[in-house]
Amino acid sequence: MTDRLIEGARIVSATGVREGAIAIADGQIRAVGPDVASEHGDATDVIDAAGMVALPGVVDVHNHLHDPELFPEGIDFASQTASAAAGGVTTVVELPTQTPITTPEAFRKKREACADLAHVDFGLVAGNVEAPDVDVERIMAEGTRDFKTFTAEPYRASDGAIVSLMEDVGNTGGKVRVHCETQGILDHARESIDGNTPDVYMDSRPLEAELDAINRMGWFAEYADCPLHVVHVSSGSGAREGGRFKSRANVPVTLETCPHYLAFSKDDVEEKGPFLKVNPSLKSPAEVDRLWDAVRDGTIDLVASEHFPTYRDDRERGWENIWEPYAGLPSIETMLEFLVSAGVHEDRLSWTRLRELVCSRPAREAGIYPCKGSLREGTDADVVLVREEKFTVSADDLQYVGGWTPYEGREWSARVDTVIADGDIIARDHEIDSSPGRGTFLARP
Ligand SMILES: [Zn+2]
């Protein structure tokens, strides 16, 4: 018996886009293909997806969704995974923010708290590791392989601590994710700035800080024999630095960028002000163009949202004093619509490349492919249907509770229509039909 049939969609696979149907039973994909509709006409529910594009549910491997010590009332794993679901993201891998996850007990506590609140399936990254003596093995036994550390404040680890961590994690079969900006350059740049206006923020985080840190972390990873994941590469030149290691390193190196580094340059700060405060900061329009090239040609492995939630009021303070609000942008709900509109529809990406960037490759990275990140028989029935339609972005139309989006007023051409997770419809037109606790923890094998 087929529970649900999605008919007439243009289905994106690893090899192309083909019209067909997807049959779902018991939370899994039962069949996919051009002839599936006639064979599964007995389905309890039929979704007419004529004209729509079907992708695997998005797997977002970098976001900040839960930290009771940092995020104010109303911003927690429930409201933020609701925002994720509304944007077509059916699996999230969450990273620590202010509360470090550096013991098995802390990891377990967070996992349990998130499981009660999750609208979508989730994994967790340990970190933010500042000390060299972390019990990597016992933390891994709780269900992760990934450890986050920083070369910059506020969670900066010393060079020695990073090497030690890499050695331990490499030996235990995991991967270290690094925020790459060199603090000495950031300090020097900051000292020469006295203004408080949003534009000066960009000058406080020079491109060279990123280039130097990516380069050094490449050598650190080689030396320590540890796989390296560079989070949020903010520039085309940064991608090039990372690409050098990818092509000849003896350890796996993966590079991630985020939608905002493709959507905005520092020239946009005049208009958007504090609504573009993010670390690393935005770079020049030429760097944005080069970054798109790196996304297209495979130098960048995957795109992740780096969603960081705050309320609009907090952000507004930044018009007066840009140093006051937290850095980071809410972006998990808008990532897919942006990448289709500015990527696929502007001929910068094919549908199959988009699928690699936000579905299959991040799922592999998280160790959950093909169960997640693909639409094939026997995998979890996580599907997002995209409607190709023009609209103007407004925070009012989003599930996100913070009341703002950096993309406000942008004209886009793709809308997330229906989101299915484990065979159930969990969102339609950015309205949620799910309850907290629906999602489950995905342990890394
Ligand atoms: Zn982050």
Side-chain angles (χ1 to χ4, degrees):
M1 184 70 194
T2 305
D3 298 328
R4 183 161 276 132
L5 185 72
I6 302 169
E7 256 188 340
R10 289 154 57 213
I11 302 166
V12 184
S13 73
T15 52
V17 183
R18 264 206 316 182
E19 193 174 311
I22 303 168
I24 295 168
D26 301 324
Q28 294 203 318
I29 294 184
R30 184 57 59 84
V32 187
D35 307 320
V36 165
S38 53
E39 294 157 10
H40 294 263
D42 62 337
T44 314
D45 178 60
V46 177
I47 297 176
D48 177 7
M52 288 197 257
V53 176
L55 284 155
V58 170
V59 178
D60 183 35
V61 292
H62 185 169
N63 46 68
H64 304 277
L65 308 177
H66 189 74
D67 192 336
E69 283 181 38
L70 176 67
F71 296 141
E73 181 91 31
I75 293 183
D76 61 12
F77 210 61
S79 66
Q80 300 313 297
T81 52
S83 178
V89 177
T90 52
T91 304
V92 298
V93 178
E94 210 270 356
L95 278 72
T97 308
Q98 187 162 295
T99 308
I101 305 296
T102 50
T103 63
E105 293 73 27
F107 189 93
R108 210 173 304 138
K109 189 176 159 206
K110 184 168 185 177
R111 185 182 67 206
E112 284 163 8
C114 289
D116 288 342
L117 300 172
H119 283 278
V120 299
D121 292 347
F122 69 100
L124 297 173
V125 171
N128 300 330
V129 178
E130 294 175 63
D133 54 346
V134 183
D135 192 340
V136 166
E137 209 165 333
R138 280 179 62 229
I139 295 171
M140 277 199 194
E142 295 295 330
T144 190
R145 296 263 152 188
D146 296 295
F147 290 76
K148 173 82 182 289
T149 191
F150 292 71
T151 61
E153 298 297 346
Y155 312 113
R156 179 189 183 186
S158 69
D159 286 355
I162 294 173
V163 175
S164 294
L165 176 72
M166 284 181 170
E167 189 173 41
D168 285 354
V169 172
N171 283 338
T172 324
K175 190 166 215 174
V176 170
R177 300 182 178 203
V178 189
H179 174 124
C180 291
E181 288 181 293
T182 294
Q183 188 62 40
I185 295 179
L186 301 184
D187 288 342
H188 184 271
R190 178 71 183 89
E191 276 165 21
S192 61
I193 295 170
D194 13 295
N196 292 326
T197 50
D199 57 305
V200 302
Y201 192 77
M202 305 299 137
D203 300 328
S204 74
R205 307 191 82 98
L207 171 66
E208 292 78 4
E210 173 167 272
L211 304 185
D212 175 60
I214 290 175
N215 191 31
R216 278 191 308 123
M217 289 307 107
W219 291 117
F220 275 42
E222 280 257 77
Y223 171 73
D225 198 18
C226 175
L228 169 69
H229 179 82
V230 180
V231 295
H232 54 50
V233 175
S234 71
S235 61
S237 296
R240 188 194 57 206
E241 285 297 312
R244 287 200 302 138
F245 282 93
K246 269 178 63 172
S247 60
R248 53 142 278 273
N250 294 313
V251 290
V253 175
T254 45
L255 305 176
E256 162 199 303
T257 191
C258 312
H260 33 277
Y261 299 121
L262 298 165
F264 303 106
S265 75
K266 57 184 171 186
D267 290 0
D268 294 303
V269 173
E270 191 179 347
E271 180 202 338
K272 299 266 182 187
F275 296 104
L276 289 180
K277 182 178 177 183
V278 63
N279 296 338
S281 63
L282 301 171
K283 303 301 189 296
S284 69
E287 287 293 342
V288 175
D289 287 344
R290 274 181 222 136
L291 187 58
W292 270 114
D293 290 342
V295 166
R296 184 172 36 231
D297 73 17
T299 307
I300 292 285
D301 296 280
L302 59 91
V303 179
S305 73
E306 231 253 314
H307 180 89
F308 184 96
T310 53
Y311 285 111
R312 188 184 181 92
D313 288 355
D314 178 67
R315 264 322 147 112
E316 293 279 7
R317 298 186 302 147
W319 287 112
E320 287 284 308
N321 186 347
I322 194 59
W323 309 103
E324 279 185 5
Y326 279 102
L329 308 174
S331 52
I332 203 163
E333 191 171 346
T334 46
M335 177 166 73
L336 181 60
E337 290 171 350
F338 163 73
L339 288 172
V340 176
S341 302
V344 178
H345 290 167
E346 300 283 331
D347 291 326
R348 290 172 167 130
L349 301 174
S350 64
W351 283 107
T352 53
R353 181 67 186 136
L354 173 73
R355 175 189 169 281
E356 275 171 15
L357 287 164
V358 296
C359 305
S360 58
R361 189 57 206 263
R364 281 180 206 277
E365 207 36 47
I368 51 177
Y369 184 88
C371 184
K372 306 289 186 187
S374 78
L375 295 175
R376 61 168 88 155
E377 199 182 326
T379 64
D380 288 0
D382 296 351
V383 188
V384 52
L385 298 176
V386 174
R387 202 165 74 225
E388 295 178 278
E389 152 188 310
K390 288 200 166 33
F391 72 103
T392 305
V393 181
S394 165
D396 295 342
D397 299 332
L398 298 176
Q399 181 71 33
Y400 175 59
V401 295
W404 67 283
T405 167
Y407 300 96
E408 187 79 34
R410 288 245 169 154
E411 304 285 335
W412 283 355
S413 51
R415 195 99 169 117
V416 170
D417 185 276
T418 303
V419 184
I420 295 165
D422 297 312
D424 296 325
I425 294 174
I426 61 165
R428 262 195 160 136
D429 270 318
H430 292 260
E431 295 290 336
I432 289 294
D433 185 6
S434 161
S435 40
R438 197 206 63 78
T440 54
F441 177 68
L442 304 168
R444 283 295 300 267

